[in-house]
């Protein structure tokens, strides 16, 4: 990847931005290299975490209040994942997240995911950006990775107890998802060799 920072007269700032950019992307790429070495054949997931601002959105029939407790998932309409329908089906990450969010206090808080299913396209404003395109399934680096941008609503970020519950629910969803099963299968296969 290239850093497109340009000089505004402060060349030290541009150099710093380029160095941070290079370090950030180098770290991500090296992490995937370690994963593919340690778990050959495993299919990984990369979650790019962002924050979205609550706003009425008549195009998708979500009001600002609903946005505050919604995670908007962006896959560039499936281009950054191996199987968009799969992430919404049983053992798929978004399916498992929705299952976790439907329990107890998270259900009472109305925590949700948009789009709620594979039949609805990604949100046009939050459908995944450069990072998910760079490392997601159709990347030029040969990585077997699903990349999902997740835009967290205001309440999910600012209310610490709710934030902790959502983080735990996502961790449980990851453990129940096909990604962990893929890694376990890859580990088992490499142990047999």
């Amino acid at each position: 990847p290239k850093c497109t920072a340009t000089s505004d007269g402060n060349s030290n700032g541009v150099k710093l931005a380029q160095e941070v950019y290079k370090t950030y992307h180098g770290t991500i790429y090296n992490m995937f290299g370690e994963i593919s070495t340690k778990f050959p054949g495993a299919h990984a997931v990369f979650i790019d975490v962002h924050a979205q601002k609550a706003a009425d959105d008549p195009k998708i029939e979500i009001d600002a209040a609903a946005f505050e407790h919604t995670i908007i998932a962006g896959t560039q309409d499936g281009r950054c994942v191996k199987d968009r329908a799969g992430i919404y089906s049983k053992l798929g990450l978004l399916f498992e997240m929705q299952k976790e969010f439907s329990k107890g206090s998270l259900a009472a808080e109305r925590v949700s995911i948009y789009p709620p299913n594979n039949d609805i396209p990604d949100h046009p404003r939050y459908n995944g950006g450069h990072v998910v395109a760079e490392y997601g399934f159709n990347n030029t680096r040969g990585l077997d990775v699903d990349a999902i941008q997740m835009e967290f609503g205001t309440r999910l970020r600012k209310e610490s107890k709710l934030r902790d519950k959502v983080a735990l629910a996502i961790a449980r969803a990851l453990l129940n998802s096909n990604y962990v099963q893929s890694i376990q299968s890859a580990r088992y296969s490499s142990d047999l060799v």
Side-chain angles (χ1 to χ4, degrees):
K2 295 180 181 176
C3 178
T4 57
T6 58
S7 179
D8 61 355
N10 181 355
S11 61
N12 289 334
V14 171
K15 287 177 185 173
L16 179 60
Q18 290 171 333
E19 189 58 35
V20 167
Y21 187 90
K22 181 179 170 184
T23 301
Y24 173 76
H25 285 281
T27 301
I28 294 170
Y29 188 69
N30 290 338
M31 175 192 63
F32 286 127
E34 289 176 28
I35 291 169
S36 63
T37 299
K38 191 171 182 178
F39 306 106
H43 184 72
V45 63
F46 177 68
I47 299 172
D48 185 24
V49 176
H50 288 259
Q52 49 91 351
K53 184 179 177 186
D56 288 337
D57 197 332
K59 291 180 192 171
I60 59 170
E61 299 176 5
I62 293 181
D63 63 14
F67 262 116
E68 290 186 359
H69 48 81
T70 298
I71 296 172
I72 302 173
T75 63
Q76 294 192 351
D77 291 317
R79 289 186 299 278
C80 299
V81 294
K82 189 174 195 172
D83 177 13
R84 187 174 189 268
I87 63 175
Y88 286 100
S89 63
K90 187 173 179 154
L91 298 181
L93 178 58
L94 299 182
F95 174 88
E96 293 298 327
M97 285 173 62
Q98 289 182 53
K99 196 164 76 173
E100 291 295 326
F101 295 162
S102 69
K103 299 175 183 176
S105 64
L106 292 179
E109 295 283 357
R110 300 180 310 144
V111 176
S112 64
I113 295 174
Y114 184 90
N117 59 58
N118 187 50
D119 297 331
I120 299 172
D122 288 354
H123 187 288
R125 192 174 339 144
Y126 304 110
N127 69 343
H130 169 74
V131 173
V132 294
E134 184 74 26
Y135 300 103
F137 186 71
N138 287 309
N139 66 73
T140 59
R141 298 169 179 260
L143 302 170
D144 188 13
V145 175
D146 281 349
I148 304 170
Q149 181 171 304
M150 291 192 185
E151 301 273 351
F152 285 74
T154 308
R155 289 191 57 230
L156 304 179
R157 299 186 320 271
K158 293 189 175 182
E159 295 178 17
S160 61
K161 287 182 181 179
L162 181 57
R163 182 180 60 232
D164 293 348
K165 288 177 185 178
V166 168
L168 184 59
I170 293 171
R172 280 194 302 265
L174 277 164
L175 289 173
N176 293 328
S177 75
N178 50 14
Y179 296 111
V180 170
Q181 292 178 5
S182 169
I183 288 172
Q184 289 171 337
S185 295
R187 177 182 285 162
Y188 178 73
S189 297
S190 66
D191 288 345
L192 295 176
V193 176

